[in-house]
Amino acid sequence: MPWDRNQMAARAAEELEDGWYVNLGIGIPTLVANYVGDKDITLQSENGMLGMGPFPYEGEEDPDLINAGKQTITELPRTAYFDSATSFGMIRGGKIAAAILGAMEVAENGDLANWMIPGKLVKGMGGAMDLVAGVGRVIVVMDHQNKAGESKLLKQCTLPLTGTGVVDRIITNLGVLDVVEGGLKIVETADGVTEDDIRKATEATIVD
Amino acid sequence: MNKIYGTASEALDGLLHDGMLIAAGGFGLCGIPELLIDAIVDSGVKDLTVASNNAGVDGFGLGKLLDTRQVRKMMSSYVGENAEFMRQYLSGELELEFNPQGTLAERMRAGGCGIAGFYTKTGYGTQIGEGKEVKVFRGEHYILEEGIFADLSIVKAWKADETGNLVFRKTARNFNPPAAMCGRVCVVEVEEIVPTGSLDPDHIHLPGIYVHRLIQGQHEKRIEQRTVRQKETA
């Protein structure tokens, strides 16, 4: 069985090491926070916060306290606030150990496309280009194939890029792959999924 | 020198002209200068270029300035929450310059610090890097981005003293300090003006040197995405 959204998030949480400062993207990456367990992880929200807490209880929402997805959140005893220039200073400056992001396409050389589809609604890149350019490790969590059943792991991205050669590891519903010299390397398969299943579902070059 | 004005319109008197560049603080609808935006709508000034991370929502924040067609160009990182924005952009009525969020923040900060340009890895090899100077430092590619030097900054803070020293609250700080820094003139709206001397000098987030005019007012502070969790019941 391929992994579901929560299993993908749980697998992504295994990537995080005790003491890390981490930025989580919108969608499945947000769920990763539910699976960090006892590890001491500090979440960064790029609109100006370290130490992001859970959603507030009803009636305790604060319009001055939101995450990068504009959702109401809460603070923790460790929380620090800062302005956007400082926030992206720590992102570009390599102080954030890892970012876990969603993607539309990943290429075998680590190119990432996740911000626009030409001719369709264009919303903007937000902080994604800064994150992939600056953080220590870029981990992509996404479905292996799109809704049409086509591989999202490609020889070359077709969509406008967010960054070139930036992705380190990809966690999909089928397994875990690393970007290595010459292509992608299968690190792990989901329960009941074979390496052959992954090869068949992947356009990108798989190396041994 | 008195920096305190009675209303947003009074605080903007003599500062607005068609075709000007305005830097606005705020992230989404959090920490936006909503009173000053309303006053700019009322002024009727047009052909504005606005540097702001987002463009508000339909009918609120900078969305109001879009509804009245007073904006010619936006410099933003994310504009997904605004249908009227999309309509004007897709029909060619509105120009849009996408900036990566950190690049936009740093362009404002740099402008305010007298730095005309800086090199960043962000956007290299993407559409954002096209046509920009590329330089290699320590074996990696960087692109040249220019500082933003705005005609006017409009900013929201939580508290100010009478000299314009500012304190922000939680994530409502966001783009407000860099936006404040990059304007030739900076107008700030706050929830409360307190007597000079009552703020701890060690707890000032932005010194009053960046603040030229100041108003106090009531803010709606609309929430864009109200998300809550349920209390566990025993």
Side-chain angles (χ1 to χ4, degrees):
Chain A
M1 282 287 287
W3 287 325
D4 64 21
R5 288 164 57 89
N6 284 303
Q7 288 169 314
M8 288 160 71
R11 179 60 190 81
E14 290 177 28
E15 300 292 319
L16 306 180
E17 292 179 21
D18 201 57
W20 275 13
Y21 291 86
V22 175
N23 185 292
L24 302 179
I26 293 165
I28 300 175
T30 306
L31 301 175
V32 173
N34 300 334
Y35 298 98
V36 296
D38 292 337
K39 281 185 282 196
D40 184 25
I41 302 292
T42 303
L43 297 179
Q44 198 238 22
S45 191
E46 65 264 29
N47 54 318
M49 179 185 200
L50 277 166
M52 180 167 47
F55 294 145
Y57 293 120
E58 195 160 356
E60 294 174 10
E61 310 92 319
D62 184 339
D64 289 338
L65 183 44
I66 64 169
N67 64 18
K70 283 102 179 177
Q71 298 170 311
T72 45
I73 48 163
T74 55
E75 64 187 20
L76 300 170
R78 71 175 58 185
T79 296
Y81 299 111
F82 34 84
D83 67 71
S84 298
T86 306
S87 180
F88 283 92
M90 64 184 74
I91 288 169
R92 257 189 263 95
K95 315 301 178 189
I96 304 291
I100 301 181
L101 303 170
M104 298 170 184
E105 296 176 346
V106 178
E108 62 191 43
N109 65 350
D111 286 359
L112 170 70
N114 75 349
W115 78 279
M116 80 173 278
I117 303 173
K120 288 202 178 178
L121 209 59
V122 178
K123 295 187 170 189
M125 72 291 287
M129 285 192 182
D130 308 279
L131 281 161
V132 299
V135 302
R137 223 172 135 66
V138 174
I139 300 158
V140 165
V141 182
M142 65 175 189
D143 283 328
H144 208 96
Q145 293 157 305
N146 63 21
K147 288 193 175 77
E150 299 157 338
S151 175
K152 294 173 71 173
L153 289 71
L154 304 172
K155 293 191 186 304
Q156 230 178 352
C157 289
T158 64
L159 296 170
L161 296 180
T162 308
T164 55
V166 293
V167 176
D168 295 293
R169 177 165 276 197
I170 310 149
I171 296 169
T172 78
N173 51 323
L174 300 184
V176 181
L177 299 96
D178 275 350
V179 177
V180 297
E181 195 68 38
L184 305 180
K185 184 176 167 59
I186 300 170
V187 177
E188 194 178 319
T189 58
D191 291 338
V193 174
T194 66
E195 291 202 7
D196 204 42
D197 293 333
I198 291 184
R199 284 172 197 273
K200 280 179 190 154
T202 308
E203 185 207 285
T205 309
I206 304 278
V207 299
D208 292 317
Chain B
M1 194 187 83
N2 177 40
K3 295 183 177 179
I4 301 172
Y5 289 70
T7 67
S9 294
E10 286 167 28
L12 291 169
D13 186 44
L15 300 181
L16 300 176
H17 59 87
D18 291 351
M20 71 190 301
L21 170 58
I22 299 177
F27 181 92
L29 300 181
C30 181
I32 59 171
E34 48 185 91
L35 306 175
L36 291 163
I37 291 169
D38 285 350
I40 293 172
V41 170
D42 292 342
S43 78
V45 67
K46 60 183 192 299
D47 292 327
L48 299 174
T49 297
V50 181
S52 168
N53 187 56
N54 312 93
V57 297
D58 292 304
F60 194 67
L62 289 172
K64 289 184 178 178
L65 273 174
L66 295 169
D67 292 343
T68 53
R69 315 284 179 88
Q70 287 167 268
V71 180
R72 183 181 60 79
K73 178 181 174 182
M74 287 297 305
M75 301 162 73
S76 304
S77 86
Y78 191 83
V79 294
E81 320 297 345
N82 193 315
E84 174 61 17
F85 183 103
M86 278 299 150
R87 195 199 63 70
Q88 289 183 24
Y89 172 63
L90 293 172
S91 70
E93 295 165 53
L94 179 69
E95 207 181 316
L96 170 60
E97 178 191 294
F98 269 129
N99 285 252
Q101 194 172 137
T103 295
L104 183 63
E106 188 63 17
R107 289 184 66 192
M108 290 181 181
R109 198 197 70 84
C113 296
I115 293 172
F118 58 92
Y119 291 93
T120 175
K121 280 193 282 186
T122 303
Y124 170 73
T126 76
Q127 283 185 4
I128 295 303
E130 283 172 17
K132 290 175 184 162
E133 185 193 325
V134 175
K135 202 163 176 167
V136 176
F137 296 90
R138 298 182 306 281
E140 291 195 275
H141 292 90
Y142 289 71
I143 60 173
L144 178 64
E145 294 280 3
E146 294 186 11
I148 291 173
F149 297 82
D151 298 305
L152 172 69
S153 304
I154 55 172
V155 162
K156 156 77 171 47
W158 181 39
K159 287 183 182 180
D161 69 16
E162 293 151 318
T163 71
N165 288 320
L166 301 183
V167 177
F168 299 91
R169 186 170 176 274
K170 303 184 188 286
T171 57
R173 192 181 322 183
N174 57 57
F175 273 80
N176 281 297
M181 292 164 75
C182 76
R184 193 175 53 76
V185 183
C186 173
V187 184
V188 180
E189 60 183 69
V190 297
E191 295 173 44
E192 189 183 3
I193 298 173
V194 299
T196 300
S198 59
L199 296 176
D200 183 337
D202 269 333
H203 292 174
I204 305 293
H205 295 138
L206 191 74
I209 191 169
Y210 295 106
V211 177
H212 303 97
R213 300 183 182 187
L214 196 57
I215 57 160
Q216 174 181 308
Q218 291 290 323
H219 293 82
E220 179 182 335
K221 299 214 278 187
R222 197 182 287 188
I223 291 176
E224 204 165 334
Q225 305 276 347
R226 189 178 299 274
T227 44
V228 296
R229 67 188 146 135
Q230 299 304 316
K231 275 197 169 115
E232 296 88 17
T233 44

